Amino acid sequence: MLSRVLCQVARYFNKMVPEVVFVLGAPGAGKGTQCSLISKEYDFVHLSAGDLLREERQRPGSEYGEMIEQKIRNGEIVPVEVTCSLLHKAMQKSGKTRFLIDGFPRNKDNLEGWNREMSDKTKLLFVLFFECSKELCTERCLGRGAAGSGRSDDNPESLHKRFNTYLKDTMPIIEYYDQKGLVRKINAEVAPNEVFKYVKNAFESSGIQIVN
Ligand code: UDP
Ligand code: MG
């Protein structure tokens, strides 16, 4: 209650409220690659929901380890209570105020959970949406697997499931934000430095400056 009031006061003065950019796109579209490029030049902390879940899976004593592994391998989405609390903790730990949230929200449960817990503690600036064909994304993920990504889901079987989840569950979330005028579509089928040029345009047209 108190934090809600404080947050509203902070928002009233238009400062201190953490700002977020959601980064969405098919598996292998290049979300992680672009987020690391962005965080080098802009004052945004890169938080990958998938990486946070993989870290939690490895944490000794985690009560969620097995469930997370099973979901990841099957290309299913972990319940939002787990993901949202990992994101929230990472935001607080960083001590920063601007975040790229990579690979989240991925379904209705994620969206509703975020809206319940975080939407009045944060300001959503926009959603970066990396558009890339299924063929190219598959090629990239399998390439990443063959090159030793060590990920238990970079194999043809998991990928097939991840894609189905993406089409069935994540696309409606992107459409939801698109209807609100918040989606910045990026052509992600070209080389990373070319994609990054489009990303920079999106940041620039939202009035966000390079800092490094
Ligand atoms: N995942 C999830 N919730 C999230 C983000 C990821 O459950 O908010 C799980 C899901 O099983 C997904 C996997 O983690 O398939 C890998 O996600 P990541 O974003 O790392 O994969 P990418 O899309 O970047 O290939
Ligand atoms: Mg990723």
Side-chain angles (χ1 to χ4, degrees), residues 73-76 156-166:
R73 206 178 270 274
N74 283 319
E76 292 166 358
E157 204 177 291
S158 295
L159 254 179
H160 182 70
K161 294 177 181 167
R162 286 160 70 192
F163 254 98
N164 286 344
T165 303
Y166 169 70

Side-chain angles (χ1 to χ4, degrees), residues 21 29 34 37-38 41-42 126-132 140 183-206 208 210:
V21 169
Q34 292 300 319
L37 293 173
I38 298 165
E41 293 196 22
Y42 295 85
F126 53 89
V127 177
L128 272 183
F129 169 36
F130 291 106
E131 281 190 301
C132 188
R140 288 177 184 172
V183 172
R184 309 286 179 267
K185 278 187 196 151
I186 306 286
N187 171 9
E189 297 197 333
V190 291
N193 57 335
E194 294 298 314
V195 177
F196 190 48
K197 288 182 192 161
Y198 305 138
V199 169
K200 281 180 156 174
N201 287 338
F203 274 73
E204 202 170 306
S205 60
S206 299
I208 297 167
I210 290 176

Side-chain angles (χ1 to χ4, degrees), residues 13 16 19 23 54 83 89 97 141 145 161 170 195 200:
F13 290 104
M16 269 166 54
E19 293 179 323
V23 182
R54 283 183 283 271
T83 316
K89 277 189 220 153
T97 55
C141 288
K161 294 177 181 167
T170 312
V195 177
K200 281 180 156 174

Side-chain angles (χ1 to χ4, degrees), residues 40-168:
K40 282 192 192 119
E41 293 196 22
Y42 295 85
D43 197 14
F44 276 77
V45 178
H46 174 201
L47 296 179
S48 158
D51 286 351
L52 289 169
L53 289 168
R54 283 183 283 271
E55 243 171 62
E56 175 64 20
R57 177 185 63 184
Q58 298 313 120
R59 190 174 61 82
S62 166
E63 57 181 308
Y64 303 117
E66 253 172 59
M67 179 271 288
I68 293 173
E69 172 56 17
Q70 199 202 342
K71 296 278 186 202
I72 287 184
R73 206 178 270 274
N74 283 319
E76 292 166 358
I77 314 294
V78 172
V80 67
E81 289 71 19
V82 176
T83 316
C84 202
S85 114
L86 291 172
L87 285 168
H88 194 185
K89 277 189 220 153
M91 288 168 75
Q92 288 175 320
K93 199 171 145 197
S94 76
K96 300 280 191 157
T97 55
R98 282 180 145 181
F99 303 93
L100 297 165
I101 301 197
D102 164 6
F104 178 96
R106 268 176 139 91
N107 66 1
K108 200 160 173 274
D109 170 65
N110 280 182
L111 176 67
E112 289 173 354
W114 177 269
N115 286 344
R116 218 165 33 235
E117 297 295 325
M118 297 298 292
S119 64
D120 51 300
K121 297 190 182 78
T122 55
K123 179 174 193 288
L124 174 61
L125 298 177
F126 53 89
V127 177
L128 272 183
F129 169 36
F130 291 106
E131 281 190 301
C132 188
S133 72
K134 182 174 177 179
E135 291 66 35
L136 194 48
C137 284
T138 306
E139 195 183 302
R140 288 177 184 172
C141 288
L142 293 180
R144 179 166 84 181
S149 70
R151 281 181 50 162
S152 60
D153 59 352
D154 282 339
N155 59 73
E157 204 177 291
S158 295
L159 254 179
H160 182 70
K161 294 177 181 167
R162 286 160 70 192
F163 254 98
N164 286 344
T165 303
Y166 169 70
L167 292 176
K168 185 166 78 64

